[in-house]
């Protein structure tokens, strides 16, 4: 695979932000990866170039019809100074599934992973090392053809940008408060809920605003048909520990198939903790809470890894979980998974790659 | 209101495309209108400038989380040489409703209409005059802040671009064939279906591809909950004439509130043709077809104005309407509405503005 590296005449490196001052998604590194797609030609001009603005026609399809997909993963620096990635192949495979739903061209997952590794090698000094920090990786694809007809674009750009990040949630591993959303819907089977595409996130902003106003940090989505069954939380999948067993909503055609979710399920099975993927109603959560069986709840996602949940608000009811404290299993999952990801703990699953 | 006009040093005008060769959405005029929004400041730097590419950071929210809304309307040249717009205030008002749903800042509809008129005056020579042609107007707003957090942008651009267009549908006023979609869903109550936002259109591409492959020109969406009730068609609202009465799906929280739809309802009432907004199931259409009462069907939208429907395919059944011919009422509606819009007919409703 040929990735050209643009020479940096007059390209000053940016000053790095100290690890302690890092937030999420505001600082970007010196370079980015770009590839262009033209219908009939395929992907071409794979290149690593200085991080720079994009120039697009105002009629570019991405601005009007939102044909775009993205991914999110993280790189860590191991104690031995190597760079570690967590199951990156799954991100590129999921991107292809998103592309399929959005009528966008497939990428070659292996080639893209190689390109990502090349890019990270150049940006290695940008990986922060303080606990909880990492280099957030954002691969994304946008439709660039200038055309106002509602039709799949004939041209795309695939890009990878890198952002050193602190902890996603200001609250850190401390439990978050979740508002169960009854009015707005994120996705419905037959829609785009299983794809990591822009419109799903745009659709979520209004409910998130409402939650923030009420002092809750994230929204929990219910199904769009009966408004009864639990789907996911903000940009996380959700797990409950009820009466010693772990349950998580089954992938039903409107939930994102989270890579952290899959990894948590595998880890629980490895530990021989029973875990079941099935439909879970809010009534069931209320009942488990009432009978004292709602032992733990947590969200899973690349940004937060594990985010214990201390409280749910559903209509006018409040359900506290584990007295608003992080539960034992959530904490163990967090410590083990972040340990594997960052290279502090051994990886019995073969999930990480190092270079 | 202060709109600055950038001087055109070295700005060559583009060659115009002959009216007969115009298609939809591929040619743009020499200028565009742009305004910037900054949280805490509001809208600023309203300007008309040469049509030119946009420069945005790769992390701009529009690329990742699709925070964007748009509108579509048309300008015609009257027989007397004046420019005519059709109910443009409704487009800017609807844009504000879309913005509300998408957590985006409101615009001032009157100021934006003034800006549009200034822009069109400069671009007057671009309005084509051949029958069926017009100047398509695309106001749109995009989130421009560079930030990867899922949150409403603190910066936006509002723009208006202009495109001289031929007829939207290659088939012209000839009836189109519609595929009723059973697998994919456009929108559901609580989602973003009532907003003119990018994600809804991205979500529709896959079903449209399937329809095109099967030889159908548009998709008809059913409700996302029961998959029984008719919502709308591609980018049109839908009407049926059944047993002498006109029916159209009621605005139920997932359908776009079309301006052509509203105008058609008003026109029918003016003509004293009964018209009812209510829930319509596919079963009802099948039954009306079986008993010979399905007299006409047509879509309504800015692009096509009226698009008679000659055939529906639902699962494995085919329903022909009026022997695949344009019906009398559809044709009368088309002739009257396009007559009013283009200034060939008087406008008893006061819908058009001329300048
Ligand atoms: C809507 C949504 N759900 C769940 C997740 C969790 O997925 P993953 O574990 O792959 O990060 C994400 C992504 O972070 C998401 O955007
Ligand atoms: C989804 C959808 N439905 C219906 C319409 C019709 O609306 P209008 O008559 O305002 O053009 C449009 C816009 O053209 C649309 O995009």
């Amino acid at each position: 695979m040929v990735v050209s590296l643009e020479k940096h005449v007059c390209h000053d490196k940016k000053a790095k932000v100290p690890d302690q001052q890092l937030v999420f998604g505001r600082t970007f590194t010196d370079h980015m990866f770009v590839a262009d797609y033209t219908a009939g030609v395929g992907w071409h001009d794979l290149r690593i170039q200085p991080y720079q603005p994009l120039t697009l026609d105002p009629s570019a399809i991405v601005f009007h019809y939102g044909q775009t997909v993205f991914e999110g993963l993280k790189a860590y620096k191991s104690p031995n100074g190597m760079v570690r990635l967590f199951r990156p192949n799954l991100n590129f495979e999921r991107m292809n599934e998103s592309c399929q739903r959005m009528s966008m061209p497939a990428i070659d997952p292996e080639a893209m992973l190689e390109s990502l590794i090349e890019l990270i090698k150049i940006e290695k000094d940008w990986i922060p090392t303080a606990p909880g920090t990492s280099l957030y990786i954002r691969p994304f694809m946008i439709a660039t053809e200038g055309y106002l007809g509602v039709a799949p674009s004939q041209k795309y750009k695939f890009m990878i940008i890198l952002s050193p990040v602190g902890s996603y949630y200001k609250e850190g591993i401390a439990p978050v408060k979740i508002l169960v959303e009854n009015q707005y819907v994120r996705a419905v089977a037959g829609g785009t809920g299983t794809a990591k595409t822009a419109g799903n996130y745009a659709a979520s902003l209004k409910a998130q605003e409402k939650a923030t106003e009420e002092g809750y940090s994230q929204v929990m989505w219910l199904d769009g048909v009966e408004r009864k069954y639990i789907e996911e939380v903000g940009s996380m999948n959700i797990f409950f520990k009820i009466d010693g067993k772990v349950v998580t909503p089954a992938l039903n055609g409107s939930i994102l198939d989270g890579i952290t979710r899959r990894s948590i399920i595998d880890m629980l099975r490895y530990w021989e903790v029973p875990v079941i993927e099935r439909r879970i109603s809010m009534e069931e959560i209320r009942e488990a809470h009432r009978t004292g069986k709602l032992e733990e709840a947590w969200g899973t996602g690349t940004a937060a890894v594990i985010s214990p949940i201390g409280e749910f608000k559903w209509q006018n009811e409040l359900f506290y979980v584990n007295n608003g404290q992080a539960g034992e299993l959530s904490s163990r999952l967090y410590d083990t998974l972040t340990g594997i990801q960052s290279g502090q703990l051994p990886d019995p699953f073969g999930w990480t790659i190092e270079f």
Side-chain angles (χ1 to χ4, degrees), chain A:
Chain A
M1 193 197 35
V2 187
V3 177
S4 78
L5 179 59
E6 285 183 17
K7 283 281 179 322
H8 302 179
V9 193
C10 306
H11 177 54
D12 289 324
K13 294 216 170 162
K14 289 184 255 188
K16 300 202 171 47
V17 176
D19 284 8
Q20 285 67 21
Q21 287 167 33
L22 286 171
V23 292
F24 184 84
R26 295 229 178 251
T27 309
F28 299 92
T29 69
D30 292 314
H31 298 84
M32 61 190 193
F33 173 79
V34 187
D36 291 305
Y37 179 90
T38 308
V41 179
W43 289 104
H44 56 90
D45 292 307
L46 281 64
R47 60 204 184 268
I48 288 170
Q49 57 181 45
Y51 187 90
Q52 62 193 267
L54 279 175
T55 300
L56 291 174
D57 197 86
S59 65
I61 288 177
V62 62
F63 297 134
H64 302 271
Y65 308 128
Q67 218 193 352
T68 162
V69 299
F70 71 92
E71 273 301 329
L73 65 161
K74 285 175 170 177
Y76 294 85
K77 210 172 259 177
S78 287
N80 61 8
M82 306 275 278
V83 180
R84 292 175 78 88
L85 293 175
F86 183 73
R87 312 183 85 178
N89 51 315
L90 296 186
N91 289 94
F92 291 112
E93 284 164 21
R94 185 171 65 185
M95 186 170 219
N96 271 348
E97 280 167 36
S98 299
C99 284
Q100 228 273 325
R101 177 64 184 85
M102 308 316 292
S103 301
M104 295 170 77
I107 48 153
D108 173 346
E110 277 168 41
M112 292 309 112
L113 179 52
E114 265 182 62
S115 303
L116 170 62
I117 291 172
E118 281 192 59
L119 176 65
I120 296 179
K121 281 182 180 164
I122 294 170
E123 303 294 64
K124 204 171 162 177
D125 292 348
W126 278 97
I127 307 176
T129 51
T133 63
S134 59
L135 185 70
Y136 182 77
I137 300 162
R138 170 57 58 92
F140 66 108
M141 193 193 299
I142 56 173
T144 55
E145 190 191 5
Y147 176 44
L148 295 185
V150 182
S153 180
Q154 300 295 297
K155 287 184 187 164
Y156 299 87
K157 261 190 201 310
F158 170 83
M159 305 180 60
I160 305 176
I161 57 177
L162 305 176
S163 173
V165 298
S167 277
Y168 191 79
Y169 295 99
K170 296 174 211 80
E171 295 98 326
I173 178 73
V176 293
K177 293 164 64 183
I178 298 289
L179 184 65
V180 183
E181 176 57 44
N182 291 295
Q183 179 188 358
Y184 297 108
V185 170
R186 177 184 171 270
V188 72
T192 57
T194 57
K196 244 179 127 66
T197 184
N200 296 337
Y201 299 83
S204 76
L205 296 174
K206 194 79 197 164
Q208 178 61 46
E209 267 189 344
K210 225 175 59 176
T212 306
E213 271 166 33
E214 286 201 45
Y216 287 81
S217 68
Q218 299 262 315
V219 157
M220 186 160 81
W221 301 106
L222 300 182
D223 77 284
V225 174
E226 300 184 60
R227 312 279 180 110
K228 269 187 183 172
Y229 300 101
I230 293 165
E231 300 241 317
E232 52 186 317
V233 168
S235 32
M236 297 190 288
N237 296 107
I238 187 159
F239 287 76
F240 299 91
K241 182 163 167 261
I242 299 176
D243 200 17
K245 288 192 194 70
V246 175
V247 290
T248 186
L251 301 175
N252 60 355
S254 55
I255 296 175
L256 194 83
D257 181 0
I259 293 163
T260 320
R261 175 185 181 279
R262 275 194 244 178
S263 309
I264 290 297
I265 292 173
D266 290 346
M267 245 162 70
L268 289 168
R269 297 213 164 117
Y270 182 79
W271 291 344
E272 296 179 356
V273 176
V275 49
I276 307 153
E277 300 173 66
R278 63 165 170 83
R279 217 154 74 152
I280 305 164
S281 70
M282 270 314 293
E283 294 290 350
E284 177 180 350
I285 298 303
R286 173 205 267 147
E287 187 56 19
H289 176 259
R290 197 184 62 77
T291 55
K293 291 181 180 161
L294 181 57
E295 295 158 4
E296 295 190 36
W298 64 87
T300 67
T302 294
V305 187
I306 299 283
S307 184
I309 297 169
E311 178 189 331
F312 291 95
K313 183 176 180 193
W314 183 39
Q315 290 153 349
N316 292 318
E317 296 179 76
L318 294 180
F319 306 142
Y320 292 97
V321 188
N322 197 35
N323 298 315
Q325 305 299 305
E328 201 187 314
L329 187 57
S330 324
S331 303
R332 184 177 169 208
L333 285 166
Y334 180 82
D335 293 341
T336 313
L337 194 49
T338 55
I340 291 173
Q341 288 173 335
S342 63
Q344 312 276 346
L345 291 180
D347 170 13
F349 304 98
W351 282 338
T352 47
I353 62 168
E354 222 179 42
F355 54 90

